[in-house]
Amino acid sequence: MDSHRVHASPIITGLPSSERPPRLESADEPLAREQVKPKPTRPAAFPKSKIKILLLDGVHQNAVDMFLKEGYQVETHLKISEADLIAKARDVHAIGVRSRSQINQRVLDAAERLLAVGCFCIGTDQTDLMAAEKQGVSVFNAPFSNTRSVAEMIIAEIICLARQLCDRSMELHRGKWNKLSKNCWELRGKVLGLVGYGHVGSQVSVLAESMGMQVIYYDTVSKLPLGNANPVDSLEDLLKRSDFVSLHVPLTPQTENMMGSAEIAQMKQGAYLLNASRGTVVDIPALASALRSGHLGGAAVDVFPSEPANNADGWISELQGCPNTILTPHIGGSTEEAQGKIGVEVAAKIIKLINSG
């Protein structure tokens, strides 16, 4: 720490004790005692210019700009190996990630000065929360900022599945003209079953109703329905009644493979399954089998049990080549609007912690 006084910067109380100046009574506090003591010398503040922020996975420029405006040092990497991440984590005060880089026990053990991990996304699956808690590292995320983006994608996929638009498009790209109406449907009057009625599920509910769909939902927690949506008592009841089933659940031991062979078999003949929640929620081989057999009329999957570390890596799945199946590379929240809002929300939380504790 520099020994000279820096009166222009506020005292940063969120730093580790090894780098935090000793706290003294503020000269601005009203004195409760009758005897007036000389005003103490204000301790030297830890310069903001020495705060180091490491941002990975293409965190939005909004966040970068906010950190730079505070005077922090900011280093960005689109992709990084775990070994390099561990090396760089040793002297940083905050790390920001999206869904690619993993902040595990090894990274946290190396990050001796770390105050915060910013998950610039809805969830915190990429961070070892228990290890972070034990080491006193705060973890921030943005649970609401990309809700609309995910909900709009689900509605778009429902329309595409109902009309088999993606298959027709691919056929034309290959030079095949295949005009047909068999097994193509309007959405009006169809039943949409939402498994999970949280931030995203409830927004999908509102949008679907505006298109004339009937909405039912199942959630383990009692939720106030929006519009004319109705709760059902069990997952089995929802699966049997729905023309479209859309999954919006968190990653927990209870939701792992919650849609397996038995559950998929309970769905209507020709129904559609959509998953933009967590990759481990659906048994992928079971889904592929139901699609190839014709039991399901189609599916849209945005998340997978195993996802590439970067765009240059290859990817293989049993779902490739299945009829009327939309596969997207975890882009539910990948819009300019969503990423911009996430950048602002998470960066603001980290800045508040560093500057004010």
Side-chain angles (χ1 to χ4, degrees), residues 195 216 234-243 245 247 258-259 262-264 266-268 271 273:
V195 182
I216 59 177
S234 67
L235 176 61
E236 180 179 357
D237 185 18
L238 180 141
L239 297 177
K240 289 180 176 179
R241 292 172 54 183
S242 300
D243 300 301
V245 175
L247 307 175
M258 70 178 299
M259 289 299 296
E263 290 76 19
I264 292 173
Q266 292 171 358
M267 295 176 64
K268 285 183 176 182
L273 179 64

Side-chain angles (χ1 to χ4, degrees), residues 142-181:
F144 316 115
S145 295
N146 68 359
T147 296
R148 180 71 181 196
S149 296
V150 178
E152 287 184 0
M153 187 184 75
I154 291 297
I155 294 299
E157 290 176 335
I158 289 174
I159 296 172
C160 287
L161 291 173
R163 299 295 301 275
Q164 301 180 20
L165 293 181
C166 293
D167 280 8
R168 299 294 85 77
S169 176
M170 291 301 299
E171 288 165 354
L172 278 182
H173 277 287
R174 295 192 296 265
K176 179 180 180 182
W177 185 274
N178 186 23
K179 183 178 179 179
L180 54 81
S181 60

